[in-house]
Amino acid sequence: MNTPKVGKIYIFVRKHGDGFEHTEFVRDEDSAGFAADGSYHVHENHPGAWRDALAALVGLGFLELSEARASGLVPSSWEPSRETFVLKHGQAAVAREA
């Protein structure tokens, strides 16, 4: 993945049993985070925090969705569920679309 844009939400996915598990990666100016394995992973307080968060995410076996599709990990038609995690400045909220 190239340098993630500030404020853009990126979907990451990994194989989980017979299906797939996904999370969102979000970068701010001096922080970044994601939710995985029942925990929120937030790296903050320095401009390179996104690199630390991204390395942790990849270390847990996640790939960015377009990379996962290109590698054949997920079918090209696969879409994440409508439940999303929104992370901002160390706080997380679960948002569900109706």
Side-chain angles (χ1 to χ4, degrees):
M1 161 179 247
N2 294 325
T3 303
K5 295 180 182 179
V6 172
K8 181 175 178 181
I9 296 172
Y10 295 86
I11 304 295
F12 279 73
V13 64
R14 69 179 172 186
K15 187 82 169 144
H16 183 73
D18 291 334
F20 306 100
E21 179 180 13
H22 77 280
T23 190
E24 295 178 348
F25 174 88
V26 180
R27 175 186 173 199
D28 286 329
E29 286 294 332
D30 63 350
S31 66
F34 61 94
D37 299 334
S39 299
Y40 299 110
H41 302 259
V42 178
H43 297 258
E44 57 189 348
N45 299 325
H46 64 93
W50 69 267
R51 288 183 186 92
D52 298 338
L54 188 58
L57 184 60
V58 171
L60 292 171
F62 285 91
L63 286 175
E64 193 273 327
L65 182 55
S66 64
E67 293 172 359
R69 286 180 176 146
S71 71
L73 176 69
V74 297
S76 60
S77 61
W78 183 86
E79 291 293 329
S81 68
R82 292 182 158 290
E83 181 178 275
T84 60
F85 294 94
V86 179
L87 292 146
K88 185 151 179 77
H89 300 293
Q91 296 181 343
V94 177
R96 297 176 197 260
E97 293 183 24

